[in-house]
Amino acid sequence: MANNIDLKEAESSPITNRDVQIVWLKWHAFSETSLNFERLQALAFCNSMTGILAKLYPTRLEKKLENEMICLIYIILGFYMFFTFRFTFILFSALAISACNDSETFPQVQSSVYDNSLGPLCWPTQFTKEHDSLIITDYKNNRILVNRNEKWERTNLTINGAHSLVTDKKGNFIIDDTENNRIIISTSLSDSSIIKYITSVNGKPLNRPHSVVVSNDGYIYAIDALRLIKISKDYKKTAELWFKPGDLGYARSLKMIDGYLYVINSSKGDLIKINDFDKNSYEIIKTISHKIDDAAGSYERTGPILNDIDKFKGWYYASNYFTSSWSKKTDAESHKLIRWKTWHDFKKGNFQDVSYLLPKGQLPYFIHNTGDSLLLTTFNHENPCSGENGIVVK
């Protein structure tokens, strides 16, 4: 009988041939370092398997335990080397310090904030903080809720399916009144305080604007179904950026990160970085993990379908529109909320799944970094108005 080894990588396996080769190299390098009558070569074997474990067990608890195990292995190896080779002892001591310091701090949900005192939320899209007040934009209920003195109040601003709001450098509110196809500028969240409605740009009506941001230099940006819009600081001038055919899909949000404006190109699973609005200059940041363009899906079927991103404590966080009716019998719970360290990680699809932060059946939408916490809303696409909330992540 032929003794053949199939070197083909299984499509469903995260382990590659290169990973196996690295295991062999690490085993070959360290197999004798811990050799003794009590432990034999077990520590060297554990050390050689650490990279495999990181790929096989990527969840928060498993990753934490894997980091702690690597730390412990290098400490023990360093201890054994103290009685043999001083140089090797120094090497493993340095590795132990590095491994132990690299143990990650994983985010935790501090609280769910809304108490249903004004009735259940129904597809809340944004949970943010403006003028030192917590604010929830409650999309299907056509209302904006503000928390004042630990009590939720409904504002008397007339809206129809608004998605988000922001305050500008003057302290005025900018609201995307999505289903009314307009942007509202107001000194407060009240009909009596409205300064201006913006309903068109260059003679072309707005088409469902659903995200607004303010840049560091005070300009207001909005995205609708067709284009990116820029509003001057005095609200008198508007301009538009049209993307090349095929570049813009269904974009759900905008975000200012590190001084740059990003269009979250949701259905295409990528990001459009605006280098210079006035010169129509932009670049598209893609990830190899995106598989199929769609309005929603699952990580297995479509790859990322991004709702929003933000940067928090050195990590980029992103929410995905994953739900069972769009997943086509694949897992809709996995990778609903992800994070990554660098743009290289995003391009390579090196994501950490932090969906454990979310209730089952709830998907996250817009994300807002307050500096010391991350605010996001969750809603139930399959059973609207059920268990939906705003959550605080630390």
Side-chain angles (χ1 to χ4, degrees), residues 53-218:
L53 291 172
K55 282 198 169 184
L56 289 177
Y57 304 103
T59 66
R60 175 183 65 93
L61 179 59
E62 292 162 340
K63 180 70 174 174
K64 182 174 184 296
L65 293 174
E66 189 258 341
N67 284 342
E68 291 174 351
M69 188 187 74
I70 295 173
C71 171
L72 181 61
I73 287 171
Y74 286 138
I75 288 173
I76 296 173
L77 284 170
F79 174 77
Y80 278 115
M81 291 306 101
F82 179 78
F83 298 102
T84 53
F85 305 106
R86 294 296 185 267
F87 172 77
T88 316
F89 165 71
I90 294 171
L91 171 64
F92 279 110
S93 296
L95 289 171
I97 292 170
S98 175
C100 297
N101 287 338
D102 281 345
S103 294
E104 297 169 6
T105 300
F106 290 89
Q108 298 291 333
V109 173
Q110 183 187 45
S111 61
S112 297
V113 297
Y114 182 63
D115 57 7
N116 276 4
S117 58
L118 298 176
L121 300 175
C122 196
W123 280 30
T125 48
Q126 186 193 46
F127 175 34
T128 189
K129 188 175 184 179
E130 300 289 351
H131 295 320
D132 294 324
S133 294
L134 297 176
I135 302 175
I136 293 176
T137 306
D138 195 8
Y139 170 66
K140 283 189 176 290
N141 281 328
N142 297 317
R143 61 182 182 173
I144 295 173
L145 305 181
V146 180
N147 189 288
R148 296 189 178 98
N149 300 319
E150 299 185 356
K151 182 180 179 181
W152 287 99
E153 301 174 6
R154 178 173 181 163
T155 64
N156 64 349
L157 184 69
T158 302
I159 53 174
N160 183 17
H163 277 68
S164 71
L165 60 81
V166 69
T167 54
D168 66 5
K169 300 297 183 180
K170 299 177 181 179
N172 294 329
F173 286 93
I174 318 296
I175 305 105
D176 56 53
D177 193 10
T178 306
E179 307 307 341
N180 280 329
N181 298 305
R182 65 186 183 182
I183 293 170
I184 301 172
I185 302 172
S186 181
T187 58
S188 67
L189 297 173
S190 170
D191 285 342
S192 62
S193 304
I194 293 174
I195 300 172
K196 186 174 184 177
Y197 295 108
I198 296 176
T199 57
S200 64
V201 176
N202 293 335
K204 304 177 187 71
L206 296 187
N207 187 338
R208 299 190 75 247
H210 43 267
S211 184
V212 286
V213 297
V214 175
S215 65
N216 295 337
D217 54 4

Side-chain angles (χ1 to χ4, degrees), residues 139-379:
Y139 170 66
K140 283 189 176 290
N141 281 328
N142 297 317
R143 61 182 182 173
I144 295 173
L145 305 181
V146 180
N147 189 288
R148 296 189 178 98
N149 300 319
E150 299 185 356
K151 182 180 179 181
W152 287 99
E153 301 174 6
R154 178 173 181 163
T155 64
N156 64 349
L157 184 69
T158 302
I159 53 174
N160 183 17
H163 277 68
S164 71
L165 60 81
V166 69
T167 54
D168 66 5
K169 300 297 183 180
K170 299 177 181 179
N172 294 329
F173 286 93
I174 318 296
I175 305 105
D176 56 53
D177 193 10
T178 306
E179 307 307 341
N180 280 329
N181 298 305
R182 65 186 183 182
I183 293 170
I184 301 172
I185 302 172
S186 181
T187 58
S188 67
L189 297 173
S190 170
D191 285 342
S192 62
S193 304
I194 293 174
I195 300 172
K196 186 174 184 177
Y197 295 108
I198 296 176
T199 57
S200 64
V201 176
N202 293 335
K204 304 177 187 71
L206 296 187
N207 187 338
R208 299 190 75 247
H210 43 267
S211 184
V212 286
V213 297
V214 175
S215 65
N216 295 337
D217 54 4
Y219 286 94
I220 301 161
Y221 293 89
I223 188 77
D224 74 357
L226 306 173
R227 64 220 149 146
L228 180 62
I229 298 157
K230 182 179 181 180
I231 304 170
S232 64
K233 305 171 192 178
D234 59 5
Y235 320 131
K236 294 180 179 180
K237 297 179 181 179
T238 56
E240 55 189 350
L241 186 158
W242 291 83
F243 297 91
K244 296 175 183 177
D247 284 353
L248 184 68
Y250 177 48
R252 286 193 170 99
S253 61
L254 300 173
K255 191 67 67 175
M256 291 295 306
I257 298 178
D258 295 334
Y260 285 96
L261 175 64
Y262 291 86
V263 177
I264 288 71
N265 205 10
S266 309
S267 61
K268 291 181 173 292
D270 59 39
L271 304 165
I272 303 177
K273 181 182 178 182
I274 307 301
N275 293 320
D276 192 321
F277 180 96
D278 298 325
K279 295 180 179 179
N280 220 57
S281 172
Y282 63 86
E283 61 183 287
I284 299 176
I285 306 174
K286 295 180 178 290
T287 174
I288 62 173
S289 59
H290 183 72
K291 302 170 186 176
I292 302 171
D293 292 357
D294 212 336
S298 70
Y299 192 73
E300 181 181 346
R301 185 179 78 83
T302 59
I305 302 292
L306 302 169
N307 294 325
D308 196 13
I309 69 166
D310 212 336
K311 192 175 183 181
F312 178 59
K313 294 185 177 180
W315 289 85
Y316 295 94
Y317 284 77
S319 55
N320 284 297
Y321 209 116
F322 294 158
T323 188
S324 58
S325 60
W326 288 78
S327 66
K328 296 186 179 180
K329 298 183 179 181
T330 59
D331 182 12
E333 295 297 316
S334 171
H335 291 76
K336 292 187 298 184
L337 187 64
I338 57 176
R339 68 177 188 170
W340 64 92
K341 273 287 190 181
T342 66
W343 287 117
H344 176 76
D345 288 334
F346 178 82
K347 293 173 183 178
K348 294 297 183 181
N350 296 329
F351 303 130
Q352 189 177 99
D353 184 5
V354 289
S355 303
Y356 66 88
L357 294 167
L358 308 171
K360 187 175 181 180
Q362 301 281 331
L363 66 88
Y365 208 71
F366 288 164
I367 305 172
H368 177 67
N369 177 12
T370 66
D372 65 345
S373 59
L374 202 64
L375 309 182
L376 61 152
T377 54
T378 67
F379 62 81

Side-chain angles (χ1 to χ4, degrees), residues 29-41:
F30 297 111
S31 59
E32 297 291 332
T33 56
S34 63
L35 186 58
N36 64 85
F37 290 109
E38 181 182 0
R39 300 293 181 187
L40 299 179
Q41 296 171 321

